[in-house]
Amino acid sequence: MGHFSTMFNGLARSFSFKKGRNAGSLANEGGREAAKAMVKEAKKKDSILCNSGFLNAEGSESFASVFSKRGNKGVNQDCCIVWEEFGCQDDMLFCGVFDGHGPWGHFVAKTVRESMLPSLLHHWQQGLAQAFLEPELDSEKKHQRFELWKHSFLRTCAAIDHELEQHRKIDTVYSGTTALSIVKQGELVVLANVGDSRAVLATTSDDGSVVPVQLTVDFKPNLPQEAERIRQCNGRVFCLSDEPGVHRVWLPDEESPGLAMSRAFGDYCIKEFGLISVPEVTCRSITRRDQFIILATDGVWDVVSNQEAVEIVSSTLDRAKSSKRLVECAVRAWKRKRRGIAMDDISAICLFFHSSSDQDHLVS
């Protein structure tokens, strides 16, 4: 099963050996508290980055650069997070970008960001505990590792959306957030996407050039499968006359809320009419040719192509400044391509897989 921290070892045994209805409830509660304690301890040790900056744990090949810039619409509703040695595991890392919208969007985005880590850890640990009880399961096998993470992400997103609806201090009726998260476990990268942020992989082609591979789908309302689900639930999808090409989700009899994405946390005014918070969960095995992944909110992708983004990042000599340079290029592109339109908040995480010397050797 690999190496677990002392806390997780004890927790796994509690899941495995406690019997009975009440014992299961106690184990679940204990799991949540243990996960929260791990997050708190990681923040004390500065292994979690929630602001613009970079993170590179001692002895790790991974390097994460983070930058976020407020747009021209008010408070910055984007937020990010990176946790190296996720769950106290040497070979694991978590990244996430969250793009809030609506009057309370910045609160919703930060709430989901804070909830995601302990909830995902808790559900992942539950899955590991179950694997202990089922000899035919082997969490070291790639496809079973992926299934474990997929199940954990699905349960986490369902739990978070349920808790948001019950939140007493945040009005989530007309506010919500997207969420794009990845977990890197060894060579396996698992992506969970709710909304229209995007993950793009930069890999090296045979001729040595850097090429993009889009890893996620932008969940816009006009995607055929998304539009069909919304219409089946009596929601509507159309563009306003002054926004040609911008498809939005509307209530059956009102011109609101006009969401530009088909999946999001919150936004309970339209959850019964086709909006969902179910993530699409996918995976990829990282090879020596793969250089980095960009996770960015739609403020980047509205004005910067995948190819442009990977070229900007790969040509930045100082990796610590890679996300800032990408965001700054997006800001200039907004001014050039969308004059007269209020710039969106723009946030990006650049996650590099190999040390600079190893990557230079590969490209050369």
Side-chain angles (χ1 to χ4, degrees), residues 75-361:
V75 64
N76 189 351
Q77 295 189 309
D78 285 3
C79 61
C80 305
I81 194 165
V82 178
W83 182 358
E84 191 142 27
E85 298 183 352
F86 178 49
C88 299
Q89 304 301 297
D90 293 339
D91 68 337
M92 289 190 358
L93 180 143
F94 177 93
C95 296
V97 292
F98 308 86
D99 183 357
H101 52 263
W104 292 74
H106 51 302
F107 292 113
V108 181
K110 289 180 179 178
T111 299
V112 172
R113 179 185 67 179
E114 294 304 308
S115 300
M116 183 71 72
L117 294 177
S119 184
L120 183 60
L121 277 177
H122 170 56
H123 288 115
W124 177 67
Q125 181 58 32
Q126 282 188 315
L128 287 174
Q130 185 63 31
F132 276 118
L133 298 176
E134 299 183 20
E136 69 275 11
L137 296 181
D138 182 357
S139 64
E140 296 304 315
K141 292 182 179 179
K142 175 190 168 183
H143 72 282
Q144 292 186 356
R145 274 191 295 160
F146 169 65
E147 288 300 323
L148 176 57
W149 282 115
K150 181 178 180 179
H151 185 64
S152 300
F153 268 117
L154 290 171
R155 294 184 66 188
T156 293
C157 291
I160 288 175
D161 204 52
H162 176 73
E163 291 167 5
L164 267 179
E165 191 172 17
Q166 312 302 318
H167 205 293
R168 295 182 179 182
K169 296 183 179 180
I170 302 177
D171 185 351
T172 52
V173 177
Y174 290 95
S175 298
T177 187
T178 66
L180 171 58
S181 306
I182 70 170
V183 169
K184 181 178 181 294
Q185 184 180 26
E187 83 293 346
L188 179 68
V189 170
V190 181
L191 306 97
N193 186 30
V194 178
D196 57 357
S197 292
R198 185 187 304 170
V200 173
L201 171 74
T203 191
T204 308
S205 67
D206 290 338
D207 63 5
S209 61
V210 60
V211 293
V213 178
Q214 185 167 324
L215 300 179
T216 56
V217 173
D218 301 344
F219 284 112
K220 301 290 190 180
N222 59 314
L223 287 178
Q225 71 274 18
E226 301 294 291
E228 178 62 22
R229 182 189 68 247
I230 293 165
R231 292 181 179 125
Q232 287 288 332
C233 295
N234 297 319
R236 297 182 297 159
V237 176
F238 62 86
C239 306
L240 294 176
S241 58
D242 59 346
E243 288 185 318
V246 181
H247 293 79
R248 297 183 181 274
V249 186
W250 309 90
L251 289 166
D253 303 311
E254 300 178 39
E255 287 199 1
S256 71
L259 291 180
M261 73 288 300
S262 57
R263 302 190 187 197
F265 291 101
D267 299 301
Y268 296 103
C269 66
I270 202 164
K271 274 287 165 63
E272 294 182 4
F273 300 100
L275 183 79
I276 61 174
S277 58
V278 179
E280 180 182 63
V281 186
T282 57
C283 71
R284 182 181 176 98
S285 291
I286 298 302
T287 70
R288 297 303 299 177
R289 282 182 174 266
D290 299 330
Q291 299 184 24
F292 55 84
I293 285 180
I294 300 170
L295 283 77
T297 57
D298 62 336
V300 170
W301 308 115
D302 283 346
V303 292
V304 176
S305 71
N306 293 351
Q307 184 65 48
E308 289 170 336
V310 298
E311 288 178 356
I312 290 167
V313 173
S314 65
S315 63
T316 304
L317 298 180
D318 185 351
R319 288 182 169 187
K321 297 179 180 178
S322 57
S323 58
K324 181 179 181 180
R325 184 162 177 251
L326 175 59
V327 169
E328 289 175 341
C329 287
V331 170
R332 291 194 292 271
W334 268 89
K335 294 177 180 179
R336 185 175 67 255
K337 297 179 180 180
R338 300 204 166 192
R339 293 179 181 176
I341 300 176
M343 187 179 73
D344 200 359
D345 303 323
I346 306 175
S347 301
I349 298 175
C350 301
L351 174 62
F352 296 88
F353 302 126
H354 314 296
S355 66
S356 298
S357 58
D358 288 347
Q359 198 60 57
D360 292 342
H361 177 71

Side-chain angles (χ1 to χ4, degrees), residues 45-81:
K45 294 181 177 180
D46 294 326
S47 59
I48 293 181
L49 178 65
C50 295
N51 302 305
S52 296
F54 65 91
L55 191 62
N56 181 221
E58 185 176 353
S60 172
E61 284 195 341
S62 296
F63 187 102
S65 171
V66 181
F67 195 79
S68 182
K69 183 175 179 62
R70 179 175 63 87
N72 299 326
K73 301 179 181 180
V75 64
N76 189 351
Q77 295 189 309
D78 285 3
C79 61
C80 305
I81 194 165

